[in-house]
Amino acid sequence: MGEISNNLKKLLAEIPAGVRLVAVSKTKPVEAIQEAYACGQRIFGENYVQELEDKQPQLPLDIDWHFIGHLQSNKVKYIAPFVGWIHAVDSEKLLAEIQKQVAKHDRKVHCLLQVHIALEETKFGWDATELLQFCRSSDFSKFPNIEISGLMSMASNTDDVQRIRTEFKAVKTLFDQLKAEVFTENASFCELSMGMSSDWKYAVEEGSTLIRIGSTIFGNR
């Protein structure tokens, strides 16, 4: 058994029931993904459109591809035929483009609305007030090929565990508020994508249902 398989099995043994693992395979070769696939992993996350477009045809069709990076509107068309989930939807413009491109293929895609909660200005997403305002005022029926399935966020890159927990807790509070106020009839609004290799355990404790882990499985880049 290879190193990737060993890492994956060890990690899966630690993840509690009800939490799904997105194996972040960006910059990793097809062979590495195949090893994780052979171990039973089916959900893989990629950050770059060109890389995902290149890899997808070389790998099994039952892989559930999650695009987890910042997505530019003009690149949606390249992944629209096959992507299952788009984690970092940070504008109405991007939602409209996803709807336009996915509809051409007569399929649906899950989208997570990205919340900017971290200290770093470099991270994308709505702040909590903006997102509440957007969701309350939006007509989501304009996007029939999109399932609004929850929220996604990244915590600050810090060793301050209390800060990380506070940020994750704030996203969960926002999620609960949106579920109660806006998405009451939307059964698919049930996912919180929070937590990476360094902080996933805190994220899970604060309510994450999808964790995005790369280096713990595939090694450092």
Side-chain angles (χ1 to χ4, degrees), residues 92-93 95-100 103 134 137-146 148:
E92 185 170 9
K93 176 188 174 187
L95 267 178
E97 185 63 21
I98 293 169
Q99 167 59 37
K100 175 183 172 184
F134 168 70
S137 63
S138 292
D139 176 12
F140 288 102
S141 66
K142 295 185 300 185
F143 310 116
N145 294 77
I146 293 175
I148 305 294

Side-chain angles (χ1 to χ4, degrees), residues 50-196:
Q50 182 65 60
E51 186 178 348
L52 176 52
E53 194 185 10
D54 290 344
K55 287 176 177 177
Q56 187 267 340
Q58 303 179 62
L59 288 156
L61 292 176
D62 64 336
I63 286 180
D64 187 10
W65 290 108
H66 290 224
F67 190 83
I68 62 173
H70 177 62
L71 180 58
Q72 295 173 292
S73 294
N74 63 351
K75 294 188 176 179
V76 174
K77 60 187 175 186
Y78 299 112
I79 60 173
F82 62 84
V83 73
W85 291 70
I86 298 175
H87 280 230
V89 178
D90 60 0
S91 70
E92 185 170 9
K93 176 188 174 187
L94 181 56
L95 267 178
E97 185 63 21
I98 293 169
Q99 167 59 37
K100 175 183 172 184
Q101 297 299 335
V102 173
K104 292 178 182 178
H105 301 278
D106 193 27
R107 59 187 303 268
K108 285 198 171 188
V109 65
H110 294 274
C111 285
L112 302 177
L113 305 177
Q114 184 174 4
V115 188
H116 183 280
I117 206 77
L119 293 170
E120 297 97 326
E121 289 299 320
T122 53
K123 291 186 169 69
F124 296 94
W126 281 282
D127 68 31
T129 303
E130 289 171 339
L131 186 57
L132 277 170
Q133 183 178 10
F134 168 70
C135 290
R136 285 168 176 161
S137 63
S138 292
D139 176 12
F140 288 102
S141 66
K142 295 185 300 185
F143 310 116
N145 294 77
I146 293 175
E147 292 278 2
I148 305 294
S149 297
L151 304 181
M152 173 267 194
S153 194
M154 289 185 283
S156 297
N157 183 16
T158 176
D159 294 327
D160 183 348
V161 173
Q162 189 54 50
R163 173 79 200 186
I164 292 169
R165 284 189 178 277
T166 298
E167 290 173 355
F168 287 148
K169 196 184 298 288
V171 179
K172 178 61 163 65
T173 299
L174 179 60
F175 172 87
D176 290 340
Q177 187 174 356
L178 285 169
K179 183 70 173 174
E181 291 184 21
V182 179
F183 298 104
T184 51
E185 305 299 319
N186 182 358
S188 72
F189 191 87
C190 60
E191 302 288 358
L192 259 182
S193 174
M194 305 190 301
M196 299 185 286

